[in-house]
Amino acid sequence: MDVKVGIPRALFYYRYYPLWKTFFEELNTQVVLSDDTTSKILDEGTKACVAEACLPVKIFYGHVMNIKDKVDYLFVPRFTSISKKEYICPKFGGLPDMIRNSIKNLPPLIDTEINLRKSKKNAIKAAMEIGSFFTEDKRKIKNAYKKALKSFGEFDEKIKKGMLATDILDRKFNVIKKSNEPLLNILVIGHVYNLYDSFINMDMIEKLRKKGAQITTIDMVEEDIIRKNACTLPKRMFWNFGSRAFGSTMHFLEREDIDGIIYLMSFGCGIDSFVCDLIERKIRKTKDIPFIILTLDEHSGQAGMDTRLEAFIDMIRWRYRNEDNVSAYG
Ligand code: SF4
């Protein structure tokens, strides 16, 4: 029987799953995913995790609990950096240790470090180490990695063309409600796990679509454009997420097809509190565009989310209908 490798459906699952799936399958293992996030997964994760952790990390714990007894290995890579001279949030680096120290009866963890801060070539080194859990055939591992990169490239290409990761991963496709009102284009800035886990964001994407809005994300912007815009900051951003969020937002501010911007923020996230403030100031200075911050934590309620989304979309539509009748002086 195939060796089973468990992947928690959380954090960077929403970015790298196509790469990981192809890689492990090419090494003749069976990939097992945890279930979609539920309140049970959140409760178990919250109980097992330290109280100070952010919601996405607590949910990751819950996914580990959900899957740990069904697999031979658990894939919890130690992400340090995914781009040159930039870092990922330190919680990613400490994740395998945090998990080991707080959850009992775990299968062996594959906790290889992914650190591309100095060179992208470290990715192949990490792949060789991960592959060595299953085979000694180095050529086979290299080939598996090549195919995995191809799968990731195809996935990323679809995202750059405007698809959402969950539409590709779950094979659901854009169902934007048709209405008499014009279609709105809403830019959502946020970590992939906040944007795509419909439990965390209380089905935000579907709610916006039902209100006749299509979603644009920061991942849809080409890397060179992001870098060019991020360079306008007086100092290089330390965090990968920060420079991507800033660089992409600046790009969208130059375009005329964005009707409103939502920043989806994790309560207790140091990176978000810094990046959100920076982006908000820049938006307010640059353009008169509706902007809202939605903060997510385990106590966020459906009703609060619904009301804020509804008010945001209604306000944008109201402006389009009545703007010309409102005095420039208020
Ligand atoms: S970047 Fe923020 S939301 Fe993401 S894991 Fe780190 S603290 Fe949590």
Side-chain angles (χ1 to χ4, degrees):
M1 210 174 74
D2 285 346
V3 172
K4 289 183 182 156
V5 179
I7 298 184
R9 199 190 287 259
L11 295 180
F12 275 167
Y13 153 81
Y14 294 100
R15 180 68 184 143
Y16 293 115
Y17 181 63
L19 185 142
W20 296 341
K21 183 177 186 302
T22 306
F23 182 70
F24 286 122
E25 286 182 353
E26 285 297 317
L27 296 176
N28 305 111
T29 65
Q30 186 189 336
V31 171
V32 181
L33 269 178
S34 54
D35 299 330
D36 285 332
T37 309
T38 57
S39 46
K40 184 168 180 271
I41 286 182
L42 169 62
D43 286 349
E44 294 196 340
T46 306
K47 277 182 209 147
C49 186
V50 287
E52 300 75 36
C54 60
L55 179 62
V57 165
K58 287 178 183 163
I59 283 184
F60 187 88
Y61 269 62
H63 280 275
V64 168
M65 314 271 280
N66 175 264
I67 202 179
K68 71 181 178 69
D69 299 325
K70 303 174 194 163
V71 296
D72 303 300
Y73 290 92
L74 198 56
F75 185 51
V76 188
R78 189 185 298 279
F79 275 105
T80 304
S81 165
I82 53 170
S83 50
K84 231 176 166 184
K85 295 187 183 166
E86 286 172 343
Y87 284 97
I88 287 286
C89 161
K91 292 203 175 82
F92 279 86
L95 205 53
D97 304 318
M98 288 164 69
I99 295 284
R100 261 197 204 97
N101 284 308
S102 34
I103 301 180
K104 290 196 179 109
N105 303 322
L106 287 167
L109 295 194
I110 303 174
D111 64 349
T112 302
E113 185 184 19
I114 318 284
N115 187 351
L116 313 188
R117 193 182 70 86
K118 286 195 178 144
S119 164
K120 275 192 175 171
K121 285 186 192 143
N122 287 341
I124 180 76
K125 278 192 205 157
M128 296 308 286
E129 188 183 321
I130 297 167
S132 68
F133 278 79
F134 311 105
T135 174
E136 288 175 3
D137 185 341
K138 291 194 171 140
R139 201 152 45 141
K140 189 169 180 177
I141 304 175
K142 273 188 194 156
N143 282 336
Y145 182 61
K146 242 192 216 168
K147 289 194 179 156
L149 279 183
K150 189 166 175 276
S151 298
F152 178 72
E154 287 163 2
F155 172 72
D156 197 47
E157 207 180 302
K158 288 182 188 158
I159 301 241
K160 296 284 183 284
K161 283 188 181 149
M163 286 182 76
L164 299 186
T166 31
D167 288 341
I168 307 164
L169 297 173
D170 303 341
R171 295 178 193 281
K172 286 193 294 179
F173 296 98
N174 272 321
V175 245
I176 300 166
K177 192 170 172 237
K178 288 204 178 91
S179 77
N180 299 331
E181 307 262 21
L183 178 74
L184 296 179
N185 188 6
I186 303 295
L187 168 65
V188 184
I189 307 167
H191 301 280
V192 277
Y193 34 91
N194 285 337
L195 177 61
Y196 293 125
D197 186 329
S198 57
F199 182 87
I200 293 191
N201 62 41
M202 288 162 280
D203 239 354
M204 185 197 68
I205 292 179
E206 283 316 303
K207 281 175 183 159
L208 286 170
R209 284 176 169 173
K210 280 188 185 150
K211 294 197 110 345
Q214 74 170 33
I215 317 292
T216 295
T217 72
I218 56 173
D219 298 314
M220 292 173 185
V221 183
E222 296 291 345
E223 196 61 26
D224 52 338
I225 297 177
I226 292 180
R227 295 291 152 203
K228 195 178 101 219
N229 287 321
C231 281
T232 58
L233 282 168
K235 204 172 163 204
R236 193 189 171 105
M237 183 87 75
F238 190 72
W239 310 109
N240 171 273
F241 171 75
S243 54
R244 282 193 310 105
F246 182 84
S248 313
T249 309
M250 292 310 104
H251 166 71
F252 287 118
L253 287 179
E254 284 168 7
R255 292 180 11 179
E256 294 302 325
D257 60 344
I258 299 292
D259 301 295
I261 303 177
I262 296 177
Y263 192 110
L264 212 48
M265 181 172 184
S266 280
F267 181 77
C269 171
I271 297 178
D272 268 346
S273 54
F274 174 77
V275 175
C276 180
D277 186 59
L278 180 74
I279 286 179
E280 183 180 8
R281 282 165 195 251
K282 195 76 187 177
I283 292 172
R284 305 265 186 232
K285 263 194 214 159
T286 317
K287 207 167 188 175
D288 178 25
I289 189 166
F291 174 75
I292 189 175
I293 301 167
L294 299 176
T295 307
L296 306 168
D297 72 4
E298 54 270 49
H299 308 296
S300 306
Q302 285 276 358
M305 180 63 124
D306 291 358
T307 314
R308 300 197 71 198
L309 285 179
E310 209 160 296
F312 186 63
I313 297 295
D314 287 352
M315 182 262 291
I316 297 172
R317 293 203 186 284
W318 187 90
R319 274 178 62 149
Y320 283 135
R321 278 195 302 263
N322 301 300
E323 207 159 44
D324 294 346
N325 301 327
V326 179
S327 147
Y329 300 100

